[in-house]
Amino acid sequence: MTSMKLSQISVETLKGVGAKVAEKLSNIGITSIEDLLFHLPSRYQDRSRIHPIIDLLHGQTAQVFGVIENANIVFGKKRSLVCKISDESGLLDIRLFFFSMAQKKAFIPGQYVQCYGQVSRAGRGISMIHPEIKYLKNQSIPKLENGLQAVYPTTQGLHQKTFHSIVKQAVQYLDTGYVKELLPEKLLQKLNFPSLAKALHLLHQPPLNISLEDIHSGEHPLIQRLAFEELMAQQLTMLHLKLARKSLKAQSIDINQNVISQFIQQLPFQLTNAQNKVIKEIQNDLIQPSPMSRLLQGDVGCGKTLVAALSMLPVAKQGLQAVIMAPTEILAEQHGISFKNWFEPLGIKVVLLVSKMKIKEQRETLESIESGDAKIIVGTHAVFQKRVSFNQLSLVVIDEQHRFGVEQRKTLLDKALDSSNNLTPHQLVMTATPIPRTLAQTAYADLDLSIIDELPPGRKPIETSVISDLNREKVIERIRSACLKDNRQVYWVCTLIEESEEIPSQAAENAFELLKEQLTKLKIGLIHGRLKPAEKKLQMDAFKSGELDILVATTVIEVGVDVPNASLMIIENPERLGLSQLHQLRGRVGRGDKASFCLLMYHAPLSKNAKQRLQVMRETNDGFIIAEKDLEIRGAGEVLGTRQTGEMLFRFADLLRDRKLLPLVQQNVTSIAENHPQIAVELRKRWVKTGEQLSHV
Ligand code: ADP
Ligand code: MG
């Protein structure tokens, strides 16, 4: 009998899968037997044994058998029903916070019960909160399951029972059919990994002696085997995208070194070595007839804007267009000013495009973009509205990329494709705060990576203190002296409570009023998301020019804002923010040559996690170290922002947990792509449902 390929057998061949079940399965991406085999349990339950109460460990999920001693309603912080049961080894409390009188009545002393649930050991007592309870007819232990029970991720209307029955049949198919092994035999041996068929089989029907702890944490070789294959597929996809992009055509840019030197000479400072190095890397890309796709990483304040400008300069000089897109209007405005200062003396026209502009001004801007009169376009996401039509757009720079969704970035690039000659623009993506290197190399493997690892000379590290809001008076004193004695300026930042802009705006307004009362001699401004763009600009300009001493703001000032004389920042409720956001905010000070300070004014009590974050902020100013810590504290999904956007990067792999696998994956990717192109295609098809999904364009 020839062996059957299980990816080609429909789940409808299984007993119990009619049209209805088939449709539900298909909704969660399962149509073939192979798909079903890849639908692995999210956890397992061990109901194969009874644990003596005395042996129960905190946090463990366990099954006990005992007799009810008594049951009482207890009034603690919360009212609860506590039923004491005993076995030969000890006493256990079953605690119910929600219960009916019928439930209370069922707890009859002398009744035998079997309970399954999570153990909590607090103080001297051992308890289970809301366990599953079975009331037994007599005092002999009933028949137990003879294996671990898998719990499947499911969708409405599909029961665990259904999964158990159909997966059992699917696993049997593994005897006569096959799921194609895509990893080379040698590699499996070298890494001591089981075959794919074995891994799938065991994960659906694990033996009793398997370490559930390792399975659940993902450290078990069975999971590692799948994670490895998945990472491999993801890297192959990235490589594929990268090569595909390299095969596109782009406008090759002439780099006129004279023009560039002139530009650099009129700057009030010298470029850092790191800036020079990445500019070279970018120039080498721009002269190619295929599009650049480069990620520029660098810490806050390392001077990425200037690198962007120097990349755009030769493009504009050649009579072509370059656009830089910023995530907020404030930042776009500010870039607009810098770029006008830099480029207009050279006779290069710069326009600013944001969504809220006067009709006439907007029309003129759009016209000059379309005619090609404007060479440098600075804007927010407004630059990819339908109405904008570019004229020979040849370079797209995306500033603070983590704030743009993948979709937004793609729209811009699609739009930028010059359909008259099929040229794709060069692309430079800049991050706001660093991403750990391993993570960047994996998640953005389709991009080339440039790193600025040095700050301009003379920057003083920002001294950060963590202080309770009970000491608000001291903070006010500190502000008074910074402004009146030292002539410095101050940011007062109110943080987000929820995802809405309303609440922090209100908080900022309140803080503003309060500070006005307490600091009567100082001029205070206010900026938040509810203000009109013109008002925002007014406040920002007044702060920049030094008219205002204090700027009360929400996190709208998070990115890019550059006022070198501001050297003190107070962040209210910093415990609400993530590390990279705090680091980004703090980067608004320490931009001049004077010592700068940041006060993280928290509201007690702090969670353990928040304490850890604030501690990290106090200890270091290095964005790359902070990025590593952030990854450890929050995990890869959060750091890459994929969790918020709902994109799922991986099913089994976890970039943090599986970091040690990454070098191995990378070692093998090129050889598989080159020597086994067919396997590469199959791996991509198996794991990356839509090839584009993982693209970070
Ligand atoms: P970021 O990388 O965070 O975007 P910016 O581009 O906003 O940083 O630069 C921060 C500040 O440093 C700006 O005021 C900029 O003019 C200044 N700057 C940039 N490069 C240098 C340099 N080589 N030497 C001194 N100052 C510089
Ligand atoms: Mg910047």
Side-chain angles (χ1 to χ4, degrees), residues 475-503:
V475 174
I476 300 291
E477 238 0 271
R478 185 83 180 263
I479 296 177
R480 193 175 282 132
S481 120
C483 296
L484 294 176
K485 273 211 340 247
D486 304 330
N487 227 354
R488 321 294 326 184
Q489 286 167 280
V490 178
Y491 290 107
W492 181 286
V493 184
C494 300
T495 53
L496 233 76
I497 297 171
E498 270 155 41
E499 281 301 318
S500 108
E501 182 55 41
E502 292 294 306
I503 298 161

Side-chain angles (χ1 to χ4, degrees), residues 23-138:
E23 194 194 323
K24 293 221 161 83
L25 286 170
S26 136
N27 286 343
I28 50 173
I30 301 172
T31 55
S32 71
I33 305 273
E34 180 170 318
D35 294 337
L36 183 59
L37 287 169
F38 271 97
H39 188 74
L40 292 172
S42 48
R43 61 199 163 83
Y44 304 85
Q45 296 180 339
D46 182 359
R47 295 169 192 257
S48 66
R49 61 190 124 180
I50 296 288
H51 293 84
I53 290 174
I54 195 163
D55 291 345
L56 296 178
L57 301 173
H58 181 77
Q60 175 188 21
T61 303
Q63 182 161 255
V64 296
F65 171 80
V67 62
I68 294 179
E69 299 289 337
N70 58 53
N72 293 301
I73 294 178
V74 173
F75 297 88
K77 252 191 226 160
K78 258 196 211 156
R79 195 178 77 124
S80 62
L81 173 59
V82 176
C83 167
K84 277 195 192 307
I85 67 168
S86 67
D87 67 5
E88 279 158 12
S89 72
L91 275 176
L92 170 77
D93 286 349
I94 296 172
R95 190 178 288 270
L96 305 182
F97 290 104
F98 309 99
F99 55 91
S100 61
M101 275 307 132
Q103 265 168 316
K104 179 170 186 308
K105 283 202 186 119
F107 286 141
I108 303 163
Q111 163 78 50
Y112 280 83
V113 289
Q114 187 181 341
C115 302
Y116 182 85
Q118 201 179 24
V119 178
S120 158
R121 281 193 100 123
R124 263 171 299 163
I126 309 176
S127 60
M128 281 188 184
I129 295 167
H130 285 273
E132 286 172 36
I133 305 166
K134 234 193 236 164
Y135 297 90
L136 304 171
K137 293 228 170 62
N138 51 46

